[in-house]
Amino acid sequence: MDSLSQIVLGGALAAAIAPAAHRRAALLAGAALGTLPDLDSLPIALFSDNPVTLMTVHRSFSHSLFVLPLVGWLLWWLFRRFGHGRVVAAPARWFWAIQLALVTHPLLDAFTVYGTQLWWPLMPAPTMWSSVFIIDPLYTVWLLVACLMAWWLRERITAQRVLVAGLILSTAYLGWSLVAKAMVDREAERTLASMGLGDAPYFSVPMPFNTLLWRVVAMTPAGYVEAERSVLVDEGRMHFRGYPSNVQALRQARGIPAVDRLSWFNRGFMRAQVRDNRLVLSDLRMGLEPNYTFSFDVAAMQAGRWQAVPPRQHPWESPVKGYEGLRSLFDAMGQRIVDPSSTAMHALTADAEGAFTSP
């Protein structure tokens, strides 16, 4: 989730738990603890410049539910051991304020599609509940208002009430996102089954900044299919569009470390293309067709075989550019949310589709 959401979640939780006399200090401490796990990018960058490593090690050790409780306990013990006044005065409350400000960070991240390694150092596929977009104002606004009011109200009982209200409303929004996702998934499974793709791996994820319009992608033997779904107006079967992927090249490149690492990290939701005898893998979970946020050169064809090369990340080219492009995206999403026949979303990227071709 975006940094602001993590900051206000950590601040609201810590301030709601700590004694009223410590409220402002708890807001600041919770904000710092809420963003602490994302600082893992700094040490990772010191040890590697491999873009695949940078992507797949992020949200691992620093987001582990095995690691963060120990970090929280150590911080609490240090503050108490060396006589930090507030922690000594209310050790139990500060223990839980510190713990929850830390542990809720990876749990909130798990609601996005990126993938969070909650059980590191164990190696199941990263958790991706994918029910909220990485930035969603309707989640963040309640916590932001609560934190600002609590800072202003200080020790008043009203501050506690607005903090609790903000946490309840933001949590209720996450609950709604799961309900909306279940509605989308139910129809996606029905439609895919009617297409003979009942066993196809698929994922659903909300479109930017909302939970009313969703994108569904399913893998097929020749590539992948994609559709949108508005939980507000759409009824009946979904309308999937098909796109090719070089599944043969991807199959032949199995065993190359970067290929296997990405396949584990994104659960195989990636497009394979061959460009200039290089195998390019794109993560289908983030971006809009045909422009995906994460694309990497991972192998080169040499003597009839795929050979590992130092991975190189392709710069992301947004399908919408500048203020006018962003406004067009919002307009297109708004039209599609209320009109199942709208093709505005497709029109945004139609001009770019010829830029990438799969052999």
Side-chain angles (χ1 to χ4, degrees), residues 241-279:
R241 305 172 299 277
Y243 299 96
S245 175
N246 199 323
V247 293
Q248 180 180 0
L250 179 58
R251 191 180 305 115
Q252 292 170 344
R254 296 294 183 191
I256 291 175
V259 175
D260 292 348
R261 180 74 178 178
L262 287 170
S263 182
W264 164 79
F265 185 74
N266 60 36
R267 303 182 182 222
F269 293 117
M270 54 187 175
R271 176 185 64 190
Q273 296 176 304
V274 177
R275 305 183 201 166
D276 299 324
N277 286 325
R278 295 275 175 141
L279 179 61

mmCIF file of all heavy atoms in Angstrom, residues 241-279:
data_model
loop_
_atom_site.group_PDB
_atom_site.id
_atom_site.type_symbol
_atom_site.label_atom_id
_atom_site.label_comp_id
_atom_site.label_asym_id
_atom_site.label_seq_id
_atom_site.Cartn_x
_atom_site.Cartn_y
_atom_site.Cartn_z
ATOM 1 N N ARG A 241 -11.141 -10.795 -23.701
ATOM 2 C CA ARG A 241 -10.354 -10.605 -24.913
ATOM 3 C C ARG A 241 -9.069 -11.421 -24.784
ATOM 4 O O ARG A 241 -8.474 -11.485 -23.706
ATOM 5 C CB ARG A 241 -9.998 -9.121 -25.090
ATOM 6 C CG ARG A 241 -11.206 -8.206 -25.091
ATOM 7 C CD ARG A 241 -10.789 -6.740 -25.068
ATOM 8 N NE ARG A 241 -10.018 -6.420 -23.866
ATOM 9 C CZ ARG A 241 -10.560 -6.124 -22.694
ATOM 10 N NH1 ARG A 241 -11.878 -6.142 -22.546
ATOM 11 N NH2 ARG A 241 -9.794 -5.824 -21.665
ATOM 12 N N GLY A 242 -8.632 -12.016 -25.876
ATOM 13 C CA GLY A 242 -7.455 -12.871 -25.836
ATOM 14 C C GLY A 242 -6.202 -12.160 -26.325
ATOM 15 O O GLY A 242 -6.261 -11.342 -27.247
ATOM 16 N N TYR A 243 -5.066 -12.494 -25.693
ATOM 17 C CA TYR A 243 -3.771 -11.921 -26.075
ATOM 18 C C TYR A 243 -2.737 -13.052 -26.105
ATOM 19 O O TYR A 243 -2.774 -13.959 -25.264
ATOM 20 C CB TYR A 243 -3.328 -10.841 -25.089
ATOM 21 C CG TYR A 243 -4.278 -9.683 -25.006
ATOM 22 C CD1 TYR A 243 -5.249 -9.630 -24.015
ATOM 23 C CD2 TYR A 243 -4.217 -8.640 -25.933
ATOM 24 C CE1 TYR A 243 -6.134 -8.571 -23.936
ATOM 25 C CE2 TYR A 243 -5.097 -7.562 -25.859
ATOM 26 C CZ TYR A 243 -6.059 -7.538 -24.860
ATOM 27 O OH TYR A 243 -6.935 -6.488 -24.790
ATOM 28 N N PRO A 244 -1.803 -12.988 -27.057
ATOM 29 C CA PRO A 244 -0.808 -14.062 -27.167
ATOM 30 C C PRO A 244 0.359 -13.867 -26.214
ATOM 31 O O PRO A 244 0.674 -12.749 -25.778
ATOM 32 C CB PRO A 244 -0.342 -13.949 -28.620
ATOM 33 C CG PRO A 244 -0.480 -12.487 -28.923
ATOM 34 C CD PRO A 244 -1.689 -12.009 -28.160
ATOM 35 N N SER A 245 0.998 -14.968 -25.882
ATOM 36 C CA SER A 245 2.249 -14.968 -25.124
ATOM 37 C C SER A 245 3.090 -16.113 -25.673
ATOM 38 O O SER A 245 2.550 -17.153 -26.081
ATOM 39 C CB SER A 245 1.972 -15.179 -23.638
ATOM 40 O OG SER A 245 3.168 -15.285 -22.897
ATOM 41 N N ASN A 246 4.396 -15.944 -25.683
ATOM 42 C CA ASN A 246 5.275 -16.974 -26.225
ATOM 43 C C ASN A 246 5.503 -18.049 -25.169
ATOM 44 O O ASN A 246 6.552 -18.115 -24.526
ATOM 45 C CB ASN A 246 6.599 -16.365 -26.674
ATOM 46 C CG ASN A 246 7.339 -17.270 -27.633
ATOM 47 O OD1 ASN A 246 7.309 -18.487 -27.481
ATOM 48 N ND2 ASN A 246 8.003 -16.687 -28.613
ATOM 49 N N VAL A 247 4.493 -18.879 -24.999
ATOM 50 C CA VAL A 247 4.545 -19.879 -23.929
ATOM 51 C C VAL A 247 5.626 -20.933 -24.204
ATOM 52 O O VAL A 247 6.187 -21.521 -23.276
ATOM 53 C CB VAL A 247 3.170 -20.558 -23.754
ATOM 54 C CG1 VAL A 247 2.153 -19.556 -23.234
ATOM 55 C CG2 VAL A 247 2.683 -21.167 -25.066
ATOM 56 N N GLN A 248 5.937 -21.169 -25.488
ATOM 57 C CA GLN A 248 6.984 -22.134 -25.804
ATOM 58 C C GLN A 248 8.347 -21.635 -25.325
ATOM 59 O O GLN A 248 9.111 -22.381 -24.703
ATOM 60 C CB GLN A 248 7.032 -22.408 -27.306
ATOM 61 C CG GLN A 248 8.110 -23.421 -27.703
ATOM 62 C CD GLN A 248 8.130 -23.660 -29.203
ATOM 63 O OE1 GLN A 248 7.354 -23.085 -29.952
ATOM 64 N NE2 GLN A 248 9.037 -24.524 -29.646
ATOM 65 N N ALA A 249 8.645 -20.361 -25.587
ATOM 66 C CA ALA A 249 9.913 -19.800 -25.126
ATOM 67 C C ALA A 249 9.997 -19.805 -23.604
ATOM 68 O O ALA A 249 11.043 -20.116 -23.029
ATOM 69 C CB ALA A 249 10.081 -18.376 -25.662
ATOM 70 N N LEU A 250 8.898 -19.489 -22.959
ATOM 71 C CA LEU A 250 8.883 -19.490 -21.492
ATOM 72 C C LEU A 250 9.134 -20.897 -20.958
ATOM 73 O O LEU A 250 9.892 -21.084 -20.004
ATOM 74 C CB LEU A 250 7.537 -18.965 -20.993
ATOM 75 C CG LEU A 250 7.349 -18.912 -19.476
ATOM 76 C CD1 LEU A 250 8.406 -18.048 -18.817
ATOM 77 C CD2 LEU A 250 5.943 -18.400 -19.140
ATOM 78 N N ARG A 251 8.525 -21.875 -21.595
ATOM 79 C CA ARG A 251 8.722 -23.266 -21.160
ATOM 80 C C ARG A 251 10.177 -23.689 -21.356
ATOM 81 O O ARG A 251 10.766 -24.345 -20.490
ATOM 82 C CB ARG A 251 7.786 -24.179 -21.955
ATOM 83 C CG ARG A 251 7.690 -25.603 -21.427
ATOM 84 C CD ARG A 251 6.739 -26.439 -22.274
ATOM 85 N NE ARG A 251 5.428 -25.816 -22.375
ATOM 86 C CZ ARG A 251 4.903 -25.353 -23.494
ATOM 87 N NH1 ARG A 251 5.575 -25.427 -24.644
ATOM 88 N NH2 ARG A 251 3.699 -24.821 -23.511
ATOM 89 N N GLN A 252 10.767 -23.298 -22.461
ATOM 90 C CA GLN A 252 12.157 -23.670 -22.734
ATOM 91 C C GLN A 252 13.145 -22.989 -21.793
ATOM 92 O O GLN A 252 14.238 -23.493 -21.559
ATOM 93 C CB GLN A 252 12.506 -23.310 -24.181
ATOM 94 C CG GLN A 252 11.770 -24.141 -25.221
ATOM 95 C CD GLN A 252 11.954 -23.594 -26.634
ATOM 96 O OE1 GLN A 252 12.384 -22.450 -26.812
ATOM 97 N NE2 GLN A 252 11.616 -24.411 -27.632
ATOM 98 N N ALA A 253 12.741 -21.829 -21.248
ATOM 99 C CA ALA A 253 13.648 -21.070 -20.380
ATOM 100 C C ALA A 253 13.533 -21.453 -18.908
ATOM 101 O O ALA A 253 14.218 -20.867 -18.064
ATOM 102 C CB ALA A 253 13.387 -19.576 -20.545
ATOM 103 N N ARG A 254 12.694 -22.421 -18.595
ATOM 104 C CA ARG A 254 12.586 -22.867 -17.204
ATOM 105 C C ARG A 254 13.941 -23.335 -16.715
ATOM 106 O O ARG A 254 14.706 -23.974 -17.441
ATOM 107 C CB ARG A 254 11.579 -24.011 -17.076
ATOM 108 C CG ARG A 254 10.146 -23.629 -17.422
ATOM 109 C CD ARG A 254 9.560 -22.636 -16.446
ATOM 110 N NE ARG A 254 8.158 -22.332 -16.754
ATOM 111 C CZ ARG A 254 7.460 -21.353 -16.212
ATOM 112 N NH1 ARG A 254 8.039 -20.549 -15.344
ATOM 113 N NH2 ARG A 254 6.202 -21.144 -16.554
ATOM 114 N N GLY A 255 14.247 -23.034 -15.477
ATOM 115 C CA GLY A 255 15.541 -23.387 -14.903
ATOM 116 C C GLY A 255 16.491 -22.207 -14.842
ATOM 117 O O GLY A 255 17.445 -22.219 -14.063
ATOM 118 N N ILE A 256 16.251 -21.186 -15.651
ATOM 119 C CA ILE A 256 17.038 -19.951 -15.547
ATOM 120 C C ILE A 256 16.598 -19.228 -14.281
ATOM 121 O O ILE A 256 15.393 -19.037 -14.056
ATOM 122 C CB ILE A 256 16.837 -19.076 -16.795
ATOM 123 C CG1 ILE A 256 17.485 -19.765 -18.009
ATOM 124 C CG2 ILE A 256 17.395 -17.677 -16.599
ATOM 125 C CD1 ILE A 256 17.251 -19.059 -19.316
ATOM 126 N N PRO A 257 17.515 -18.838 -13.396
ATOM 127 C CA PRO A 257 17.133 -18.308 -12.080
ATOM 128 C C PRO A 257 16.125 -17.168 -12.130
ATOM 129 O O PRO A 257 15.155 -17.177 -11.364
ATOM 130 C CB PRO A 257 18.471 -17.862 -11.493
ATOM 131 C CG PRO A 257 19.482 -18.761 -12.136
ATOM 132 C CD PRO A 257 18.978 -18.995 -13.522
ATOM 133 N N ALA A 258 16.319 -16.194 -13.000
ATOM 134 C CA ALA A 258 15.396 -15.055 -13.037
ATOM 135 C C ALA A 258 14.003 -15.478 -13.483
ATOM 136 O O ALA A 258 12.992 -14.965 -12.981
ATOM 137 C CB ALA A 258 15.940 -13.961 -13.966
ATOM 138 N N VAL A 259 13.934 -16.426 -14.417
ATOM 139 C CA VAL A 259 12.644 -16.923 -14.885
ATOM 140 C C VAL A 259 11.912 -17.629 -13.761
ATOM 141 O O VAL A 259 10.726 -17.377 -13.491
ATOM 142 C CB VAL A 259 12.825 -17.866 -16.082
ATOM 143 C CG1 VAL A 259 11.481 -18.475 -16.498
ATOM 144 C CG2 VAL A 259 13.459 -17.126 -17.257
ATOM 145 N N ASP A 260 12.607 -18.525 -13.061
ATOM 146 C CA ASP A 260 11.981 -19.272 -11.974
ATOM 147 C C ASP A 260 11.591 -18.361 -10.821
ATOM 148 O O ASP A 260 10.544 -18.538 -10.196
ATOM 149 C CB ASP A 260 12.924 -20.375 -11.479
ATOM 150 C CG ASP A 260 13.128 -21.470 -12.514
ATOM 151 O OD1 ASP A 260 12.368 -21.486 -13.508
ATOM 152 O OD2 ASP A 260 14.038 -22.284 -12.343
ATOM 153 N N ARG A 261 12.448 -17.362 -10.538
ATOM 154 C CA ARG A 261 12.152 -16.450 -9.432
ATOM 155 C C ARG A 261 10.895 -15.637 -9.729
ATOM 156 O O ARG A 261 10.018 -15.480 -8.872
ATOM 157 C CB ARG A 261 13.351 -15.520 -9.202
ATOM 158 C CG ARG A 261 13.173 -14.517 -8.081
ATOM 159 C CD ARG A 261 13.271 -15.175 -6.728
ATOM 160 N NE ARG A 261 13.149 -14.179 -5.671
ATOM 161 C CZ ARG A 261 13.161 -14.468 -4.368
ATOM 162 N NH1 ARG A 261 13.318 -15.730 -3.972
ATOM 163 N NH2 ARG A 261 13.045 -13.523 -3.468
ATOM 164 N N LEU A 262 10.791 -15.104 -10.943
ATOM 165 C CA LEU A 262 9.610 -14.327 -11.304
ATOM 166 C C LEU A 262 8.354 -15.192 -11.338
ATOM 167 O O LEU A 262 7.279 -14.766 -10.901
ATOM 168 C CB LEU A 262 9.814 -13.656 -12.664
ATOM 169 C CG LEU A 262 10.777 -12.470 -12.681
ATOM 170 C CD1 LEU A 262 11.074 -12.045 -14.113
ATOM 171 C CD2 LEU A 262 10.203 -11.292 -11.895
ATOM 172 N N SER A 263 8.487 -16.409 -11.839
ATOM 173 C CA SER A 263 7.345 -17.311 -11.899
ATOM 174 C C SER A 263 6.819 -17.622 -10.502
ATOM 175 O O SER A 263 5.605 -17.703 -10.280
ATOM 176 C CB SER A 263 7.737 -18.606 -12.619
ATOM 177 O OG SER A 263 6.629 -19.471 -12.725
ATOM 178 N N TRP A 264 7.727 -17.794 -9.539
ATOM 179 C CA TRP A 264 7.314 -18.011 -8.143
ATOM 180 C C TRP A 264 6.662 -16.759 -7.582
ATOM 181 O O TRP A 264 5.609 -16.826 -6.936
ATOM 182 C CB TRP A 264 8.533 -18.391 -7.303
ATOM 183 C CG TRP A 264 8.301 -18.263 -5.829
ATOM 184 C CD1 TRP A 264 7.632 -19.143 -5.022
ATOM 185 C CD2 TRP A 264 8.734 -17.183 -4.982
ATOM 186 N NE1 TRP A 264 7.615 -18.681 -3.735
ATOM 187 C CE2 TRP A 264 8.281 -17.486 -3.681
ATOM 188 C CE3 TRP A 264 9.449 -16.011 -5.206
ATOM 189 C CZ2 TRP A 264 8.534 -16.642 -2.595
ATOM 190 C CZ3 TRP A 264 9.698 -15.170 -4.133
ATOM 191 C CH2 TRP A 264 9.242 -15.484 -2.849
ATOM 192 N N PHE A 265 7.275 -15.605 -7.852
ATOM 193 C CA PHE A 265 6.821 -14.366 -7.237
ATOM 194 C C PHE A 265 5.445 -13.953 -7.748
ATOM 195 O O PHE A 265 4.586 -13.524 -6.967
ATOM 196 C CB PHE A 265 7.841 -13.255 -7.505
ATOM 197 C CG PHE A 265 7.522 -11.969 -6.812
ATOM 198 C CD1 PHE A 265 7.713 -11.830 -5.447
ATOM 199 C CD2 PHE A 265 7.041 -10.883 -7.526
ATOM 200 C CE1 PHE A 265 7.415 -10.640 -4.800
ATOM 201 C CE2 PHE A 265 6.743 -9.685 -6.896
ATOM 202 C CZ PHE A 265 6.937 -9.568 -5.524
ATOM 203 N N ASN A 266 5.218 -14.077 -9.067
ATOM 204 C CA ASN A 266 3.939 -13.615 -9.615
ATOM 205 C C ASN A 266 2.984 -14.762 -9.934
ATOM 206 O O ASN A 266 1.970 -14.550 -10.608
ATOM 207 C CB ASN A 266 4.151 -12.727 -10.848
ATOM 208 C CG ASN A 266 4.884 -13.438 -11.972
ATOM 209 O OD1 ASN A 266 4.692 -14.638 -12.184
ATOM 210 N ND2 ASN A 266 5.722 -12.710 -12.701
ATOM 211 N N ARG A 267 3.322 -15.951 -9.479
ATOM 212 C CA ARG A 267 2.468 -17.140 -9.650
ATOM 213 C C ARG A 267 2.216 -17.481 -11.115
ATOM 214 O O ARG A 267 1.193 -18.077 -11.460
ATOM 215 C CB ARG A 267 1.134 -16.955 -8.917
ATOM 216 C CG ARG A 267 1.279 -16.669 -7.437
ATOM 217 C CD ARG A 267 -0.046 -16.547 -6.751
ATOM 218 N NE ARG A 267 0.117 -16.220 -5.346
ATOM 219 C CZ ARG A 267 -0.568 -16.753 -4.346
ATOM 220 N NH1 ARG A 267 -1.480 -17.676 -4.606
ATOM 221 N NH2 ARG A 267 -0.379 -16.377 -3.096
ATOM 222 N N GLY A 268 3.153 -17.105 -11.979
ATOM 223 C CA GLY A 268 3.030 -17.432 -13.391
ATOM 224 C C GLY A 268 2.178 -16.464 -14.188
ATOM 225 O O GLY A 268 1.961 -16.683 -15.392
ATOM 226 N N PHE A 269 1.723 -15.378 -13.574
ATOM 227 C CA PHE A 269 0.915 -14.397 -14.298
ATOM 228 C C PHE A 269 1.839 -13.425 -15.025
ATOM 229 O O PHE A 269 2.035 -12.280 -14.603
ATOM 230 C CB PHE A 269 -0.009 -13.650 -13.336
ATOM 231 C CG PHE A 269 -1.069 -14.522 -12.724
ATOM 232 C CD1 PHE A 269 -1.109 -14.733 -11.358
ATOM 233 C CD2 PHE A 269 -2.028 -15.133 -13.522
ATOM 234 C CE1 PHE A 269 -2.075 -15.529 -10.791
ATOM 235 C CE2 PHE A 269 -3.009 -15.945 -12.961
ATOM 236 C CZ PHE A 269 -3.032 -16.149 -11.584
ATOM 237 N N MET A 270 2.406 -13.903 -16.137
ATOM 238 C CA MET A 270 3.310 -13.051 -16.891
ATOM 239 C C MET A 270 3.239 -13.363 -18.385
ATOM 240 O O MET A 270 2.924 -14.483 -18.783
ATOM 241 C CB MET A 270 4.748 -13.167 -16.378
ATOM 242 C CG MET A 270 5.326 -14.544 -16.303
ATOM 243 S SD MET A 270 6.946 -14.501 -15.476
ATOM 244 C CE MET A 270 7.310 -16.257 -15.385
ATOM 245 N N ARG A 271 3.521 -12.324 -19.156
ATOM 246 C CA ARG A 271 3.556 -12.427 -20.613
ATOM 247 C C ARG A 271 4.996 -12.649 -21.050
ATOM 248 O O ARG A 271 5.913 -11.982 -20.557
ATOM 249 C CB ARG A 271 3.029 -11.134 -21.226
ATOM 250 C CG ARG A 271 3.098 -11.064 -22.746
ATOM 251 C CD ARG A 271 2.658 -9.693 -23.245
ATOM 252 N NE ARG A 271 3.559 -8.636 -22.792
ATOM 253 C CZ ARG A 271 3.304 -7.340 -22.932
ATOM 254 N NH1 ARG A 271 2.177 -6.938 -23.475
ATOM 255 N NH2 ARG A 271 4.172 -6.437 -22.512
ATOM 256 N N ALA A 272 5.202 -13.593 -21.968
ATOM 257 C CA ALA A 272 6.533 -13.853 -22.515
ATOM 258 C C ALA A 272 6.574 -13.368 -23.963
ATOM 259 O O ALA A 272 5.681 -13.661 -24.763
ATOM 260 C CB ALA A 272 6.854 -15.341 -22.450
ATOM 261 N N GLN A 273 7.623 -12.605 -24.285
ATOM 262 C CA GLN A 273 7.836 -12.129 -25.644
ATOM 263 C C GLN A 273 9.303 -12.305 -26.002
ATOM 264 O O GLN A 273 10.171 -12.326 -25.119
ATOM 265 C CB GLN A 273 7.477 -10.647 -25.761
ATOM 266 C CG GLN A 273 6.016 -10.336 -25.501
ATOM 267 C CD GLN A 273 5.761 -8.844 -25.530
ATOM 268 O OE1 GLN A 273 6.385 -8.088 -24.791
ATOM 269 N NE2 GLN A 273 4.859 -8.409 -26.389
ATOM 270 N N VAL A 274 9.578 -12.443 -27.293
ATOM 271 C CA VAL A 274 10.952 -12.500 -27.781
ATOM 272 C C VAL A 274 11.201 -11.250 -28.605
ATOM 273 O O VAL A 274 10.500 -10.995 -29.598
ATOM 274 C CB VAL A 274 11.204 -13.757 -28.631
ATOM 275 C CG1 VAL A 274 12.623 -13.744 -29.189
ATOM 276 C CG2 VAL A 274 10.964 -15.015 -27.805
ATOM 277 N N ARG A 275 12.166 -10.456 -28.168
ATOM 278 C CA ARG A 275 12.535 -9.236 -28.882
ATOM 279 C C ARG A 275 14.045 -9.237 -29.082
ATOM 280 O O ARG A 275 14.804 -9.312 -28.113
ATOM 281 C CB ARG A 275 12.139 -7.989 -28.091
ATOM 282 C CG ARG A 275 10.680 -7.914 -27.683
ATOM 283 C CD ARG A 275 10.405 -6.609 -26.965
ATOM 284 N NE ARG A 275 9.221 -6.674 -26.134
ATOM 285 C CZ ARG A 275 8.912 -5.770 -25.210
ATOM 286 N NH1 ARG A 275 9.706 -4.738 -25.007
ATOM 287 N NH2 ARG A 275 7.815 -5.906 -24.484
ATOM 288 N N ASP A 276 14.474 -9.188 -30.316
ATOM 289 C CA ASP A 276 15.908 -9.169 -30.636
ATOM 290 C C ASP A 276 16.642 -10.323 -29.964
ATOM 291 O O ASP A 276 17.710 -10.146 -29.368
ATOM 292 C CB ASP A 276 16.542 -7.839 -30.213
ATOM 293 C CG ASP A 276 15.913 -6.650 -30.923
ATOM 294 O OD1 ASP A 276 15.565 -6.804 -32.110
ATOM 295 O OD2 ASP A 276 15.762 -5.592 -30.288
ATOM 296 N N ASN A 277 16.041 -11.521 -30.056
ATOM 297 C CA ASN A 277 16.614 -12.742 -29.467
ATOM 298 C C ASN A 277 16.752 -12.664 -27.945
ATOM 299 O O ASN A 277 17.557 -13.379 -27.353
ATOM 300 C CB ASN A 277 17.980 -13.052 -30.089
ATOM 301 C CG ASN A 277 17.842 -13.602 -31.491
ATOM 302 O OD1 ASN A 277 16.892 -14.339 -31.791
ATOM 303 N ND2 ASN A 277 18.762 -13.244 -32.370
ATOM 304 N N ARG A 278 15.989 -11.808 -27.317
ATOM 305 C CA ARG A 278 15.944 -11.714 -25.858
ATOM 306 C C ARG A 278 14.555 -12.100 -25.387
ATOM 307 O O ARG A 278 13.547 -11.716 -26.001
ATOM 308 C CB ARG A 278 16.258 -10.285 -25.390
ATOM 309 C CG ARG A 278 17.685 -9.841 -25.707
ATOM 310 C CD ARG A 278 18.624 -10.300 -24.634
ATOM 311 N NE ARG A 278 20.006 -10.000 -24.930
ATOM 312 C CZ ARG A 278 20.893 -9.602 -24.023
ATOM 313 N NH1 ARG A 278 20.536 -9.441 -22.764
ATOM 314 N NH2 ARG A 278 22.148 -9.390 -24.359
ATOM 315 N N LEU A 279 14.502 -12.852 -24.280
ATOM 316 C CA LEU A 279 13.226 -13.222 -23.684
ATOM 317 C C LEU A 279 12.826 -12.131 -22.694
ATOM 318 O O LEU A 279 13.569 -11.831 -21.758
ATOM 319 C CB LEU A 279 13.339 -14.568 -22.970
ATOM 320 C CG LEU A 279 12.067 -15.061 -22.267
ATOM 321 C CD1 LEU A 279 10.927 -15.252 -23.271
ATOM 322 C CD2 LEU A 279 12.345 -16.361 -21.511
#
